[in-house]
Structures are given as C-alpha cells and as structure tokens.
Amino acid sequence: MPSASEHTIVIEDGVVSRRVRRPIDLARMVGALAGVVAIVVIATILIQTFSGIDKDVADSAAKLPGFIAVALGLVSGLGQFVLPVAVAVNLVARKLAGLLAEAFIAFAAAAAITVLANDAASLYGSRDLWYAIAGTTDRSVVPLQPLLAGVFAFLTVARLRGRVSSLAAFFIVSALTADVLGGGFTAASLGVTTLSGWAVGLAFRYALGTPTTRPRGAAVASALAAGGYPVSVLRATHTTDRGRRYTATTTDGQQLHVIVFDRDLEGAGVIPRWWRSLRLRDNDALGGWTMREAVERSSLMAYASASAGAPVPSLKLVRAIGEDACVLAYDWVDGLSLESLIESEQQVSDAALTSAWVGLKKLHAADIAHRGISADHMIATPDNNIMLVHITSGTVAMSDLQARIDIADMLITLALVSSPERAVMTGKEIMGEHAVMRALPALQPFALTRPNRKLLRSHKELLPSLRNLIAELAPGEPVEDISIERLSPRKMLSLVGLLIAAYILIGQFAEVDVVSLIAQANYAWVLVAAIATLLTYVGSAMALDGFVVEKLNHVRTFLAQWAASFATLVSPPTLGTVAVNGRYLVKSGLPSAAAGAAVGLSQVIAFFIHIGLLAVAAIVAGTDVEHSFSIPKQAMWALGAAVVLLIIILPLPAVRKYLVKVARPRLEEVVPRLVTLMTRPAKLVTGITGILLLNVAFCVALIASVRAFGGGGSLAAISLVYLAGSTLGQAAPTPGGIGAVETVMTAGLVAAGIDGGVALSAVLLYRLLTFWLPTIPGWFAFQYLGRKDNL
C-alpha cells in the first residue's frame, strides 16, 4: 500500500539545492586561521618556553625503545601515500568522483600554500619567528610540511565516513606522533601545518559547497504523516539561518507552517551572533549552535509562550527525520507580516498596536523574552490582532536587559506601521510609563535585532524621535543611565593597539640596559624636564581659559588639566582631554553648546598653531649647518603616498560631501565663538599664549630628556621630533598614544643623529615625566573634582 508521502505534491524548486555551503565550515575556517596566528604569535613571544617543550619531548623520545620510533615512522610514511589512495577508492566506490577531484585540488592548493609560506618565512621572517617554527637559525630547513598539510586538506574535503574515517585518524595520529618524537619538527610548526591544511580544506568546502544531507520533501512529508498530519501539498518557501520553511496542507484541509532544522545549517549566523554577544552585556546569543539545541530551544519557547497565553502559533509536532534533521509543525497564521505592511507603507489600527503590546506583556509577565522582535516576526491578522511568530531565539528567566531590548524593538517595529507617537502612547498604556522609559537606554542600533538595524538605515529620524517622545513622558526626571555595551569597536581597537604597543615596547626595553643608563643620567637635566612638564599644565589651563568668555576658577581649571591626564590613560590622547574639559565647562555653568564650542575652538586654534610650529621647526632643522637631520626614506615614501592618495580621493564628490558634512557643524560652532572673542583680545591672547607655552614646554621636556643622557642634536631637530611625534600619536587608537609615540619619537631622534640607546632612553624618560607620572596626581584631581561636582 503506498505511503502518505507518495500522494503528496512536493514543490522545492529554487529553495532546496543539491549542494550547500555549510556555515559551520566558515566558522571552523575562521577558527583555524585564528589558531595559526595565535600559534605563530605565542611561539614568537614565548620562544624559550616552546624551545623547552620541544627539548623535553626530544629527551623523552630518546628514552623510548628504538622499535617504537621505527614503527611510527614507517606507519607515518606509508600513511601519507596509502591514505589518499584508500580515500580515492572509497569515493569512487560511492560514486563521488567529482568530490574526489575537488579533494585532489585542495591537496595541491594546501601543499603549494605551505611551500610559499616556507619561502616567505625564510626570506622575510624575523629571527625569532624562524627559530620559533623551525627550532634552528638555519634558513635552509623546511619547517612546514607541504605533504602533511595537503593530506589534511584532502581529508577535510573528502568528508570520510565509517572505517575509512577511522583509518585516516590512525594514520594522522601516527604521523604527528612520529614527527614529534623524531625531533625534526617543532610543536609550533606541526600546529601551523595541521591548522593550515584544515583551513584550506574548509575554504574549498565552503566555496564549492558540499553534497547536502538535507532530507528531501518526501521525507519531510513522511515524518509529518507518521506524526498524525498526512499532507497533500508541501511547498518550500525559503531558507533562513534558523531552518527551511514550508507551507503544508493536510489531507483534511488544515494548513501548517513547517520548519525543518538540519545539520547543514549548524553554525549559521554564528559570527554575527558571536559579535553581538561580545558587544552586548548579559546576552546569550550563542545559544542554539547545534541542530539539536536549536530544536530544543524552539520547542521550549513555543510551549512556554503558549502556556503564558501569548498570541503565538501552537506547536503541533516535533519529530526527527533520520539522524540529521528534525521537523517542527505549527498552526498556520493567516494575515500579513508587518514587513509587507512597511514595504507598502500601510498602517495598522490602534487595536492591533494594543494587541502587540498585550502579547509582549504576557511574555514578560511569564519571564519570557522574545529576543527577535522585528517586522518579519509579527503578523497582522484580519481581526485586528498581531501574532508573534518565530520565537526560536527567545529565552526563559529573562534578564532586565533582555526585557528592555524587547520593548525597544517593539517600539521600533510598531512605529514603522503607525507613528512614533502612537507606538509610544500604546506602549505606555499597556506596559506602563516606567517600563517604556526603562527601554530608553536600549534604543541604540547595536542593541536592536538585525532587521530593525537594517530598517533604521532608511529611517534615520525614527530613533531620535522615539528617544525624545519617551523622555517627554516624565519631563524633568533623570533618565536611568545603564551600561549595556560590553565591548565597543573603539575599545576593541584600543585593546589591539595596546597589545601591539606592549609588544613594541618590550622589544625596545630588551635592547637597552635601562638600569645603567638611569645611573648615568644627568639629574639637573631631569629636573629641567620635570619643570617643563609642570609648565605644560599651566599652558593647557591658559589655553582652555582663554577661549571661554565666561569667568572660570583658575585653580579648578588647572586641576581639570591634571584630571585630563588621568583620562588619557584609558582613552586616545585628544578624546580624553576633550571629554574632561567639556564636562568641566558644563559643570562650571556653561550651556552644553557653549562648552562644546569653546573646547572645539581651542582644539582648532591649537591644531593650526601646532602645524605652524611644525613647519618652522622643519625649516630651521633643515637649514642647520652644525647638525645633520635627514628624514628616513621610508617616511618620505609614506608622506609621498599620503599626498598622492589625498590628490586622488579629495576630488571625489562623496569625499567632498563627507568633509563638508563633518566640517560644517564644527565651523558653525567655532566661528561665532571666535567672533565673540575678538571683542575680548585679552582672552584671545591668553588662549594663544597658553597653546604656545604648552608646545614649547613639551619641546623643552624632550630636549632636556635627551641632554640628560648626553645626547646631542640641534634644538630645532629635537623640537621637530616632538611636534611630528605628537601629531602622529594623536591618531593612534591606543590610550595616550602608547607605542606609537615611543616608536615615532625614537626613530625621529635617531634620524636626528642621536645614538639609538640614548634616543630610546630619552623618549622613555620623556614619556615617564609627561604621561605616566602625571596620572597619579591626575587621579586625585579627577576624584576631587568629582566629589565637588565639578566634573
């Protein structure tokens, strides 16, 4: 008797493909490449540790009976030749000749890449890098094994099964063990070889796709029939990172919404979810990595939401389809998605808005967070209700932050199918004023769902409008300020820059005997440098006071500059100073706009004065007949490349439009303030004098630091090094320009004819006096001004 599935009309054209790019392959490839980088970096930094490991392994191997090493070597040698042949026979027997060809291409690619990597490391690698992967300084050895990398890539593409897979594992383990015990290869080189071959194989698998293990529509229909829902029509609609979706009609006319989870989708969206989890506090966005976890989470959310009385479709069936897939069948919801209403610019009624908020309130009352509210997950039904669908990424026992984000996402979505005013008012009526106001900190793009972030790009005015409307619910009340961001791109860039800077500085310290140099230092010049450093804070205070028409307390202004030195310890140089000075001016009674204009004007004038001093110093240094100062060729090439790049991009309309967009608001703030200061020449003179004193004092501090270690060089050349080094340091993403300032200034002093060891010592003394030590009184000033409500 024919099965129910044989009478089912299955339509899958254009939705279900024969080959599929598995997201988990991409995630694994990224992980493999990250592993290669980590091994190289760690092995280079901890070179002695890795050398000790290799030596310990070699010593232990020497104590083993000789026949073990011989046997392992024999198995390893045979395996690397016999294994590909055995796999090839297996693939041909399974009628997968095409896959065999792809595996051989991957083999050749991995071997070729490994050969090129060996050559590149030999020609361009540093001494430490080469020693870390080769275990010797001899550049003629071959640290990475092309054949082994090729075998790994071959096996990765072949996707072995059964006994052949076990045989491959045996040969691979034998090969690695033989290489380790033989002592011919380091642990780092074997790790890089293995991961490189695996990464190449995964890259081929993802680029070309692999034969899918997804069940066909007939298998899905059979599973539905076995669960008591025989279907007459099964139509595939589309594929998402949460599964394939079908619409089904049962033999008795009932409609179902069917989702099929399979292993080919494991890892889908993992990189965006990982990034969101990294940025957002209290977020478990990595849940549902495997197919089984996704099915269990979706089922839990469906049953929990229905139990809470929320307007969600009922889950009718959960059933496995073999070992590689599961099917979930839901009641069909008749209506239009809010996404289609947004596209057609239609609006929903107040009753529908109320229905959506009531549904969310029921979820939250049961401590359930949707965590996926967007227009494509909400359906407006003909009876003026809104159903919440696809709660596959929600969570029970929700956190406070998850509740806030749900409300923020609901505000965004409903505002697009009504208006911001209607969305906020209905939310206030149903959720309560307090709940809606608590969502205000979550109205930030990075906290919202991906579809809502995408919609905000074309509705840029929506977010500010919602914020203003929510703030007006309780005018005069302070808005709760919570930190919902764990790690911003700026913080991550600063962290990476800080690590690079630390690596550079450690290398610089290793080349200098700091103790003996300090003992030989001329402390009279050190005192001069310290006094010059103190004068920089006087100049900084004058520079701020001079561009503020209002009267400031001189002592507090001076302390604010010390507080700014503490702020630069955790932020890029200019950013920390601007933030502290702006906050100080606001606390001193200036309106926010006036404070921003004053700080902005001081920064603009300081920039032009700095550039002017830089030009003067360059001219004087270049014409000094007693001291030679030659700009390094690399710097000249970099400067030339920058000039050529500017010549190319500045005429572009998009670039000009961006520059006007950025510069116009600042000019509109600065020009009126400058006009006002023209009527107060004493103030303007104070500000300009402060900027000059600031720059001159820093130049004197660097000159005195050089002289403290017996260094020569002209005053103009050393001043030029400070002016150029500080300019480049401002662009560094690291706190206080750590790493960038030291590197640039040391190179500049060497170019000015100063001994390398003296140059480095002078720069380290200069940075100790002008950056590190001031953070101590800066912390006390920061705390004091904070207690006095002046910061």
Side-chain angles (χ1 to χ4, degrees):
M1 183 175 179
S3 64
S5 63
E6 294 177 3
H7 297 294
T8 303
I9 299 174
V10 178
I11 304 172
E12 294 182 310
D13 292 344
V15 178
V16 181
S17 58
R18 295 288 182 180
R19 297 177 71 89
V20 62
R21 290 188 176 95
R22 302 173 72 234
I24 198 168
D25 287 341
L26 179 61
R28 287 170 176 167
M29 183 190 71
V30 172
L33 293 176
V36 170
V37 173
I39 290 175
V40 171
V41 171
I42 294 173
T44 304
I45 296 175
L46 304 179
I47 187 169
Q48 297 298 329
T49 301
F50 271 73
S51 298
I53 292 174
D54 294 330
K55 185 177 183 301
D56 290 342
V57 171
D59 292 342
S60 300
K63 299 176 182 178
L64 293 175
F67 73 90
I68 294 180
V70 173
L72 285 173
L74 181 62
V75 172
S76 171
L78 288 175
Q80 296 188 44
F81 291 99
V82 173
L83 186 57
V85 175
V87 173
V89 172
N90 178 266
L91 292 178
V92 171
R94 292 162 52 196
K95 298 181 180 180
L96 295 174
L99 187 60
L100 175 61
E102 294 170 9
F104 272 118
I105 295 173
F107 176 94
I113 290 172
T114 307
V115 170
L116 292 175
N118 280 325
D119 291 342
S122 176
L123 293 174
Y124 307 110
S126 66
R127 179 181 59 85
D128 289 346
L129 171 63
W130 182 260
Y131 192 85
I133 62 174
T136 177
T137 56
D138 183 4
R139 299 267 175 163
S140 64
V141 302
V142 180
L144 306 181
Q145 303 180 61
L147 186 59
L148 184 60
V151 169
F152 265 94
F154 181 91
L155 297 177
T156 301
V157 173
R159 297 187 69 182
L160 303 179
R161 297 179 180 176
R163 295 180 179 178
V164 179
S165 175
S166 301
L167 181 65
F170 171 72
F171 278 124
I172 290 296
V173 171
S174 299
L176 292 175
T177 305
D179 289 338
V180 170
L181 296 180
F185 299 94
T186 65
S189 71
L190 291 175
V192 171
T193 300
T194 302
L195 291 177
S196 298
W198 190 38
V200 171
L202 291 168
F204 268 80
R205 257 172 44 174
Y206 187 77
L208 301 176
T210 53
T212 181
T213 60
R214 294 175 173 177
R216 309 301 296 178
V220 176
S222 295
L224 291 171
Y229 293 93
V231 296
S232 57
V233 178
L234 184 67
R235 179 190 295 272
T237 56
H238 61 286
T239 299
T240 72
D241 62 359
R242 307 302 296 180
R244 280 178 293 147
R245 295 180 182 175
Y246 293 82
T247 58
T249 304
T250 64
T251 53
D252 59 1
Q254 180 182 2
Q255 278 195 297
L256 297 173
H257 176 74
V258 178
I259 301 179
V260 177
F261 291 90
D262 55 65
R263 298 196 185 280
D264 283 341
L265 286 174
E266 288 186 344
V270 66
I271 294 178
R273 283 187 283 160
W274 172 81
W275 175 243
R276 180 175 171 82
S277 180
L278 190 65
R279 289 197 66 186
L280 200 60
R281 293 181 184 275
D282 195 22
N283 184 68
D284 60 342
L286 291 180
W289 169 275
T290 67
M291 181 266 291
R292 179 60 62 181
E293 289 174 345
V295 170
E296 291 174 351
R297 187 167 198 161
S298 299
S299 303
L300 169 65
M301 292 311 304
Y303 292 135
S305 302
S307 176
V312 297
S314 175
L315 178 60
K316 297 295 187 181
L317 176 70
V318 180
R319 195 174 186 88
I321 310 175
E323 296 181 358
D324 295 323
C326 285
V327 60
L328 284 77
Y330 297 84
D331 272 338
W332 177 260
V333 178
D334 190 24
L336 295 173
S337 72
L338 298 196
E339 183 180 31
S340 64
L341 296 182
I342 293 173
E343 291 173 355
S344 59
E345 298 184 353
Q346 298 183 52
Q347 293 197 354
V348 299
S349 65
D350 288 342
L353 295 179
T354 301
S355 169
W357 283 114
V358 168
L360 182 61
K361 185 174 183 179
K362 288 181 178 180
L363 286 177
H364 285 190
D367 252 9
I368 300 172
H370 189 295
R371 297 181 67 242
I373 293 176
S374 60
D376 60 331
H377 288 175
M378 301 171 70
I379 296 178
T381 62
D383 57 352
N384 272 337
N385 285 317
I386 289 182
M387 297 285 287
L388 305 177
V389 298
H390 308 313
I391 314 183
T392 54
S393 59
T395 185
V396 296
M398 69 177 181
S399 68
D400 175 71
L401 178 57
Q402 289 166 346
R404 294 172 189 254
I405 293 175
D406 265 2
I407 296 174
D409 276 316
M410 183 67 81
L411 286 166
I412 295 288
T413 305
L414 296 184
L416 290 171
V417 291
S418 59
S419 68
E421 293 80 7
R422 291 173 61 198
V424 171
M425 291 312 298
T426 51
K428 174 186 173 183
E429 292 172 5
I430 304 302
M431 304 295 292
E433 180 182 289
H434 180 65
V436 174
M437 290 194 66
R438 281 164 51 80
L440 189 56
L443 281 171
Q444 304 181 54
F446 73 87
L448 304 173
T449 56
R450 195 189 317 175
N452 281 342
R453 293 199 302 272
K454 185 177 179 181
L455 285 170
L456 286 175
R457 296 190 192 111
S458 54
H459 298 81
K460 297 183 183 298
E461 76 291 342
L462 179 57
L463 213 53
S465 177
L466 285 172
R467 289 192 185 116
N468 292 334
L469 288 168
I470 294 174
E472 291 172 0
L473 292 178
E477 288 191 15
V479 177
E480 185 179 6
D481 185 19
I482 64 168
S483 176
I484 67 173
E485 192 173 26
R486 177 184 285 123
L487 187 64
S488 66
R490 183 186 294 274
K491 289 179 181 177
M492 181 171 288
L493 184 61
S494 295
L495 179 61
V496 172
L498 193 60
L499 292 175
I500 295 173
Y503 177 71
I504 293 172
L505 290 177
I506 289 172
Q508 291 176 341
F509 274 114
E511 297 174 2
V512 178
D513 187 353
V514 179
V515 176
S516 62
L517 283 172
I518 291 176
Q520 299 170 7
N522 186 327
Y523 288 98
W525 281 111
V526 174
L527 180 61
V528 172
I531 294 172
T533 300
L534 289 174
L535 289 177
T536 63
Y537 290 92
V538 176
S540 182
M542 291 173 61
L544 180 62
D545 184 73
F547 295 104
V548 177
V549 178
E550 296 78 3
K551 183 175 178 58
L552 297 176
N553 183 290
H554 297 312
V555 175
R556 286 199 295 266
T557 304
F558 181 69
L559 291 176
Q561 308 316 302
W562 285 96
S565 69
F566 170 71
T568 58
L569 186 62
V570 291
S571 65
T574 303
L575 184 63
T577 302
V578 168
V580 170
N581 282 335
R583 181 73 172 172
Y584 166 69
L585 292 180
V586 170
K587 289 293 186 178
S588 297
L590 273 72
S592 298
V599 174
L601 178 60
S602 68
Q603 291 294 318
V604 170
I605 300 298
F607 171 77
F608 284 111
I609 291 178
H610 191 96
I611 296 300
L613 292 174
L614 181 64
V616 171
I619 294 171
V620 175
T623 57
D624 192 337
V625 296
E626 294 185 7
H627 299 87
S628 62
F629 179 76
S630 59
I631 300 177
K633 290 183 178 179
Q634 296 88 340
M636 292 297 295
W637 279 107
L639 180 61
V643 171
V644 171
L645 183 62
L646 288 174
I647 293 173
I648 294 173
I649 67 172
L650 283 179
L652 299 177
V655 175
R656 294 203 308 271
K657 183 178 178 181
Y658 174 78
L659 291 176
V660 171
K661 180 181 178 182
V662 171
R664 178 175 292 170
R666 287 161 176 76
L667 289 175
E668 291 175 349
E669 290 179 353
V670 167
V671 171
R673 171 67 55 165
L674 183 59
V675 172
T676 303
L677 284 172
M678 289 297 184
T679 63
R680 305 281 297 274
K683 277 280 188 179
L684 195 58
V685 169
T686 299
I688 293 175
T689 302
I691 294 172
L692 290 171
L693 176 60
L694 178 70
N695 283 280
V696 171
F698 273 127
C699 291
V700 171
L702 183 58
I703 292 169
S705 298
V706 172
R707 297 291 188 261
F709 294 101
S714 70
L715 302 182
I718 299 174
S719 299
L720 177 61
V721 170
Y722 157 70
L723 293 166
S726 62
T727 301
L728 294 175
Q730 300 298 319
T734 56
I738 298 174
V741 173
E742 288 82 0
T743 302
V744 171
M745 286 190 174
T746 302
L749 291 177
V750 171
I754 299 170
D755 177 74
V758 172
L760 177 58
S761 302
V763 170
L764 293 178
L765 174 61
Y766 167 81
R767 290 289 278 171
L768 179 68
L769 294 173
T770 61
F771 177 68
W772 292 108
L773 289 180
T775 60
I776 299 173
W779 182 84
F780 287 104
F782 194 91
Q783 296 296 319
Y784 174 78
L785 293 175
R787 286 196 304 270
K788 297 294 183 179
D789 198 29
N790 296 130
L791 201 61

